[in-house]
Amino acid sequence: MLELRNFHLDEKDDMNRLNALYEQYYTEVCPPEELAQEIADLYDEELNAQLLEQTRSKEAPHFIMSIEQDGIGIGFISYTIYTDKQLCFINNFYIAPPQRNRGLGTAAYGLAEQHARRLGVLYIRLEPEERAIPFYLRSGFEKSGKTKEGEPVLCKAL
């Protein structure tokens, strides 16, 4: 059974599991010149304290969810809910390579979307990696522009 479970960032084991997944994620998506700094930031106590506070925010709660298949972590998804705008922004979404192309990413995204709907979200926005765009288009997103840096922006109305 596939489920989303909140990472408890104040628990060392959960933080270690999350950081291990982020290291895999960054190894795949970061240019070599940025990789060492991104990984170092994972272990920065001040940044981790800020992240923990974001997960406790009432105005814009940040969710970092473990994607688990039969109790085993296979990835994560992080997103911020802007309640005043009824908007969810997906920050990161990662499925470990051995688990890809089996429908698990689609199912995990669906669970995150259900969670966002329960919290009153009407729109989801993200700035995906280029290779992930086909996945999001299949999931009902539409291209809605580019960031100042020229990165694609996709949106979906719920």
Side-chain angles (χ1 to χ4, degrees), residues 4 63 79-81 86-90 109-124 158:
L4 298 182
F63 295 89
Y79 47 95
T80 305
I81 305 290
Q86 299 175 305
L87 173 73
C88 172
F89 183 84
I90 297 176
Y109 168 75
L111 292 172
E113 184 178 295
Q114 288 174 11
H115 181 226
R117 283 178 193 266
R118 286 193 305 273
L119 296 174
V121 166
L122 298 178
Y123 304 95
I124 298 179
L158 302 182

Side-chain angles (χ1 to χ4, degrees), residues 6 55 58 65 97 129 156:
N6 247 325
T55 65
K58 299 289 186 227
M65 310 295 274
E129 296 291 320
K156 179 178 181 179

Side-chain angles (χ1 to χ4, degrees), residues 63-92:
F63 295 89
I64 305 174
M65 310 295 274
S66 175
I67 301 168
E68 299 184 358
Q69 175 70 29
D70 299 323
I72 298 169
I74 62 165
F76 69 92
I77 185 168
S78 69
Y79 47 95
T80 305
I81 305 290
Y82 297 93
T83 53
D84 60 332
K85 299 176 185 171
Q86 299 175 305
L87 173 73
C88 172
F89 183 84
I90 297 176
N91 302 289
N92 303 105

Side-chain angles (χ1 to χ4, degrees), residues 3-55:
E3 62 184 344
L4 298 182
R5 184 185 66 78
N6 247 325
F7 275 104
H8 298 284
L9 302 183
D10 50 354
E11 295 178 12
K12 188 174 177 103
D13 286 346
D14 264 14
M15 194 63 171
N16 288 339
R17 286 186 332 101
L18 177 62
N19 284 345
L21 287 166
Y22 260 107
E23 283 190 30
Q24 292 173 22
Y25 170 74
Y26 286 145
T27 299
E28 284 188 46
V29 301
C30 287
E33 64 274 9
E34 295 175 17
L35 181 60
Q37 184 60 53
E38 291 290 350
I39 290 175
D41 286 350
L42 292 173
Y43 301 95
D44 183 295
E45 289 184 24
E46 186 176 325
L47 292 175
N48 286 333
Q50 291 172 8
L51 185 60
L52 181 59
E53 284 306 308
Q54 289 174 330
T55 65

